[in-house]
Amino acid sequence: MGNVEKRLDKQTNNAGGEVLPSVWTHILPVEKKAYKNAVDYVSEGLRNLKGKRRYSISGERRFSDPHHSTAHAMPPTSMEKGYDERVRQLDVTIHPTLNVTNFLELEFSAPLAQIIKGGAVVELHRGNVGETMKSLRERGCTSYRDIKTPWGPPMFLAQKPDNTGYVLAMANMHGKNYRLHYQALLKYLGVKPSNIHNYSYDYDYKGKIIGNLEKMQTPADEALIGGLWLGKRIQHRLQTQDKYRHLTQHLKQFRQEGEENLTLNKIMLKRLGEEATRGDADQHPQVVHSRQHKRVLSKLKPLLDTPQADKLFSTSVEQLFHNGPMIGLMDRIAQEIEKLKNSNPKVRLLPDREIKQKPSDKSKQYAFPKEKRYLKTESEYPLRIASMRYTDSGGGERTIIFTEVPYGDMSRDVTKAILSSAPDIEKIVFIGSAGSLRGIEEKEPEEAQQTAYLENTNIPPQLWEKAFKQPAGQSVDRIHLSDICIPMNLYDIRGELVNPTTENRLLWFLEEDIQNQLTHDGAKPADIHNPGVFATEHRVTESPLMEHDIQVDSWRRGGYCGVDCESSYVVEVLEEEASKIDGKKPEFAAMMYIEDVVGVPGFSLGEVDRQKMLSSTRTKMIDILLGGPTGSQKGAYLDIQKISPHENKKQTE
């Protein structure tokens, strides 16, 4: 760490449990320049981290600067020091099933973790960024730095009044479980209870979410809780489809007689090759013409002269939407063409679009039309939401909403808000991530796998036997990274069944697609390009940091297959609402992708590359919902036929 290292002293983990590397035992002494020393230490440390673009610390900012809007920010209603009761009970001498060091680096970063461990006061604000800023400013803090990490919430290293030290403030701690999660992280870092300051705000989270939903103007017919990423992928597919349509229409004009059987990618390469040989040393414009065609040909040939490109340009525009790999290839081709267009204006084979230009913009060239927006988004705290309009097979105009994943018990507020804003909603689908409890060999004999809770299940034994090809009560052997689980029964943190009358309709929709067992060897991941689909017994936990080997072993012996932090809260609300409205409730469906194998080193949460491992899984989930080659034999779960662009009056060419 350079010269900054000289300003550090050593300190042991005062919470007990040596779960952190020895390098994480340094602290900053309390001194007049403590804030500057902390900033220097974090800045220098982040520069040395691998993947440093995922970590950042901003330049110095004053609370007087109009960086964050605090005009309508409410003040905190209370501040309490210490850990919540659930975290006080957490024994950090028992190692959790995940890699704590790796997890802390994703949430905080190693240098920031050392600052926290060294005695910094940490503030957990259940308000948004503006309210956190206002609270710091009104308590005399003068300047601050934004800190961004791959998984962490908005964080601010703020200078105390009179330059007497610093605090680390964390915003957006909405939900009880979310705050428990970060308190648990801080306890593993050995933070003293007196250095944990919990700020509460008079927030009606359900009311705020209802307000965001009402801005969508049209009540939802379906909702995908946790499906915002899916909505964005649908929009991206539609935008790529629009580019494909524009490119193929453009290239058709270059097809010559006798080339009816050539795909358009071959025609483009052939014409580029012809133009590239027309250079004449005595004619400068022609030389430029030739050089530009040669340059474009060299860049596009690796993408266009392949069997995959032949298949792409043999695909209709309508079929393209449902073909994830072809969408990916077309996206790469479009990106390369867009880059080439502006620097190679003489290449007519590159598509063009008509735009209204100012005189100063005449030299700017664009290959494709401006992207249409198919999602209407609302990003106001505490939850990002988007809506999409579509036509069903009967010609009806309908609306579907997508929300980001609400952490833990916030799922309850989100579900209640959706039901309040759209009382006639027909379907609620939960899309989430989960950890597999079936990634290692069982140590117990087969009879020990019999589930004691089957008397309370709402799944008929014949469906269990059909799903697992084994007697009811015995669980599936292996579920690995990238697989998809379809919960049969959902259990809360106490292990009590929460869906006695609410069935997961995807179980029946995917009845012919659900597999019985996985035969993968050991803890190695499945074929990530062909994820399996499994019916599971599922439970929730407040945080992955609450999972330890003894507890997880008991879950496995109980017959549970997977664990997450949200699903049971959604179903609890549906069960409660059904009792109030004479049994009427929307159809419920849930599916989750496996992003970690609990208790298996190297495959715990945060140790795997989500982008690499889950690409095919997410494609399969889209195909299940909308129809596609990797989806269900029955077609599409959602009846979406044509998606309409979102009309934005401010959007111009």
Side-chain angles (χ1 to χ4, degrees):
M1 292 292 180
N3 293 329
V4 179
E5 192 82 17
K6 298 176 181 178
R7 295 197 294 266
L8 306 177
D9 294 327
K10 281 195 171 183
Q11 176 177 293
T12 57
N13 186 343
N14 58 32
E18 188 54 46
V19 298
L20 304 177
S22 59
V23 70
W24 284 23
T25 60
H26 295 93
I27 64 169
L28 287 169
V30 178
E31 57 181 29
K32 188 70 173 178
K33 296 182 179 179
Y35 173 69
K36 181 181 184 303
N37 293 345
V39 167
D40 291 345
Y41 186 77
V42 174
S43 300
E44 192 172 339
L46 293 183
R47 283 196 296 270
N48 296 329
L49 287 178
K50 293 181 179 179
K52 59 186 177 183
R53 284 182 294 182
R54 303 173 68 190
Y55 298 86
S56 67
I57 181 168
S58 72
E60 194 75 15
R61 289 172 174 161
R62 306 286 299 177
F63 279 103
S64 57
D65 296 339
H67 179 60
H68 293 289
S69 175
T70 59
H72 303 289
M74 65 176 67
T77 54
S78 65
M79 190 281 282
E80 296 180 358
K81 294 183 180 182
Y83 294 108
D84 292 353
E85 178 61 28
R86 181 70 178 88
V87 181
R88 284 200 295 271
Q89 296 172 1
L90 177 65
D91 186 354
V92 295
T93 64
I94 302 176
H95 203 296
T97 55
L98 51 73
N99 184 329
V100 178
T101 301
N102 182 74
F103 205 75
L104 284 164
E105 287 178 347
L106 288 167
E107 294 277 14
F108 292 134
S109 79
L112 184 60
Q114 293 182 43
I115 295 296
I116 296 170
K117 187 177 175 63
V121 169
V122 182
E123 299 182 355
L124 303 178
H125 290 258
R126 293 192 69 179
N128 61 23
V129 169
E131 279 138 5
T132 303
M133 291 286 97
K134 184 174 183 178
S135 173
L136 290 168
R137 185 184 64 195
E138 291 185 348
R139 284 182 283 121
C141 293
T142 54
S143 58
Y144 67 96
R145 302 285 189 112
D146 281 294
I147 297 176
K148 299 186 186 303
T149 63
W151 288 12
M155 292 184 284
F156 310 96
L157 193 62
Q159 185 176 28
K160 285 184 177 180
D162 302 321
N163 195 19
T164 55
Y166 54 87
V167 298
L168 179 69
M170 301 164 65
N172 293 359
M173 294 285 109
H174 46 265
K176 177 183 176 182
N177 290 2
Y178 200 51
R179 188 165 77 178
L180 285 178
H181 173 75
Y182 281 98
Q183 283 189 2
L185 274 174
L186 294 169
K187 188 168 184 180
Y188 272 106
L189 272 173
V191 179
K192 296 176 182 179
S194 58
N195 283 349
I196 304 291
H197 295 187
N198 302 291
Y199 286 83
S200 298
Y201 294 77
D202 188 17
Y203 248 115
D204 176 8
Y205 291 96
K206 174 187 167 184
K208 293 285 287 185
I209 297 168
I210 290 174
N212 290 350
L213 289 167
E214 289 176 346
K215 292 177 183 178
M216 300 298 172
Q217 297 179 341
T218 307
D221 298 289
E222 292 103 6
L224 268 65
I225 298 175
L228 183 59
W229 66 265
L230 192 143
K232 290 180 178 179
R233 286 205 171 194
I234 292 172
Q235 175 173 261
H236 176 70
R237 284 191 179 195
L238 290 165
Q239 291 169 340
T240 305
Q241 187 183 45
D242 290 341
K243 292 176 182 178
Y244 179 71
R245 182 184 293 108
H246 182 73
L247 176 62
T248 52
Q249 288 295 328
H250 171 75
L251 292 178
K252 285 177 182 178
Q253 65 181 303
F254 297 97
R255 177 176 273 145
Q256 298 179 2
E257 188 175 349
E259 295 180 339
E260 290 75 17
N261 294 328
L262 281 181
T263 55
L264 290 171
N265 59 311
K266 297 294 188 187
I267 288 174
M268 187 175 194
L269 291 172
K270 188 175 180 181
R271 297 289 95 82
L272 284 170
E274 292 168 354
E275 297 298 322
T277 60
R278 289 188 181 183
D280 188 333
D282 297 328
Q283 301 180 36
H284 179 69
Q286 196 65 23
V287 173
V288 173
H289 173 97
S290 175
R291 286 176 179 170
Q292 289 189 3
H293 281 78
K294 285 180 181 177
R295 186 185 305 122
V296 172
L297 180 61
S298 67
K299 295 288 186 181
L300 291 181
K301 189 171 182 179
L303 289 171
L304 297 180
D305 194 13
T306 65
Q308 291 81 6
D310 294 342
K311 183 178 179 181
L312 168 63
F313 286 91
S314 300
T315 303
S316 68
V317 174
E318 293 72 23
Q319 293 173 326
L320 182 65
F321 177 84
H322 294 290
N323 195 318
M326 292 297 100
I327 284 283
L329 176 58
M330 179 58 213
D331 191 40
R332 293 193 298 274
I333 291 171
Q335 289 176 11
E336 190 62 46
I337 286 176
E338 197 71 75
K339 286 191 292 185
L340 290 167
K341 178 65 182 179
N342 194 48
S343 57
N344 300 279
K346 292 185 176 295
V347 180
R348 291 184 57 247
L349 278 129
L350 295 177
D352 201 356
R353 72 174 172 107
E354 294 182 4
I355 58 173
K356 297 176 181 178
Q357 294 175 318
K358 298 177 182 178
S360 59
D361 295 333
K362 285 184 178 179
S363 61
K364 189 71 175 175
Q365 301 291 320
Y366 298 92
F368 297 100
K370 192 168 185 178
E371 291 179 338
K372 297 177 182 177
R373 296 293 176 182
Y374 294 88
L375 283 175
K376 180 180 180 181
T377 58
E378 177 56 54
S379 299
E380 188 174 338
Y381 179 82
L383 193 77
R384 288 181 296 167
I385 299 171
S387 67
M388 185 178 284
R389 296 283 295 162
Y390 71 91
T391 306
D392 62 18
S393 56
E397 293 289 330
R398 298 172 68 80
T399 299
I400 185 169
I401 63 170
F402 308 88
T403 81
E404 65 180 333
V405 179
Y407 189 90
D409 58 322
M410 278 293 291
S411 299
R412 170 181 287 273
D413 289 324
V414 173
T415 309
K416 286 184 175 181
I418 290 171
L419 292 176
S420 296
S421 65
D424 296 323
I425 193 168
E426 297 176 15
K427 292 181 180 179
I428 289 182
V429 183
F430 175 74
I431 306 291
S433 61
S436 169
L437 298 172
R438 297 289 168 185
I440 60 176
E441 293 281 1
E442 290 293 338
K443 298 177 182 178
E444 294 72 29
E446 280 191 10
E447 53 267 25
Q449 296 180 26
Q450 297 289 333
T451 55
Y453 50 73
L454 269 181
E455 297 175 359
N456 300 321
T457 182
N458 66 338
I459 300 297
Q462 62 268 25
L463 177 60
W464 188 301
E465 293 175 13
K466 182 177 180 59
F468 292 150
K469 299 293 187 297
Q470 56 188 6
Q474 287 183 228
S475 284
V476 60
D477 286 340
R478 306 285 178 79
I479 302 175
H480 282 278
L481 291 171
S482 80
D483 288 332
I484 297 171
C485 61
I486 312 295
M488 293 189 293
N489 296 304
L490 290 159
Y491 300 83
D492 62 18
I493 58 176
R494 299 177 299 276
E496 296 179 3
L497 183 72
V498 296
N499 63 320
T501 68
T502 303
E503 61 181 8
N504 184 353
R505 292 305 301 172
L506 277 176
L507 283 170
W508 308 103
F509 180 75
L510 296 171
E511 186 177 4
E512 301 302 321
D513 307 281
I514 289 174
Q515 296 165 259
N516 58 343
Q517 282 191 350
L518 258 176
T519 57
H520 309 312
D521 184 25
K524 294 179 181 178
D527 177 2
I528 61 174
H529 301 296
N530 186 26
V533 180
F534 299 91
T536 59
E537 294 289 287
H538 209 82
R539 68 166 295 143
V540 298
T541 183
E542 302 106 315
S543 164
L545 290 160
M546 302 293 184
E547 302 165 3
H548 52 76
D549 290 336
I550 298 173
Q551 183 183 55
V552 169
D553 284 343
S554 70
W555 290 349
R556 290 194 184 101
R557 288 194 298 271
Y560 297 111
C561 307
V563 59
D564 79 308
C565 297
E566 292 82 25
S567 57
S568 73
Y569 297 104
V570 176
V571 182
E572 283 178 356
V573 173
L574 296 179
E575 291 280 344
E576 292 168 3
E577 294 302 311
S579 65
K580 298 177 184 177
I581 50 179
D582 300 323
K584 179 186 176 184
K585 58 183 175 183
E587 182 174 308
F588 171 72
M591 62 177 168
M592 287 167 262
Y593 53 82
I594 299 297
E595 68 172 352
D596 68 293
V597 182
V598 181
V600 180
F603 295 95
S604 68
L605 192 62
E607 289 187 307
V608 295
D609 186 337
R610 290 184 183 183
Q611 193 71 22
K612 178 181 178 182
M613 296 298 297
L614 299 175
S615 178
S616 295
T617 302
R618 290 180 168 179
T619 295
K620 191 178 187 78
M621 294 175 92
I622 293 175
D623 287 351
I624 288 171
L625 294 175
L626 303 185
T630 68
S632 172
Q633 299 176 35
K634 294 181 181 178
Y637 177 68
L638 299 175
D639 183 17
I640 297 178
Q641 300 301 315
K642 183 180 179 181
I643 300 172
S644 305
H646 166 56
E647 295 182 3
N648 186 351
K649 295 180 180 180
K650 294 181 180 180
Q651 188 171 324
T652 61
E653 281 288 316

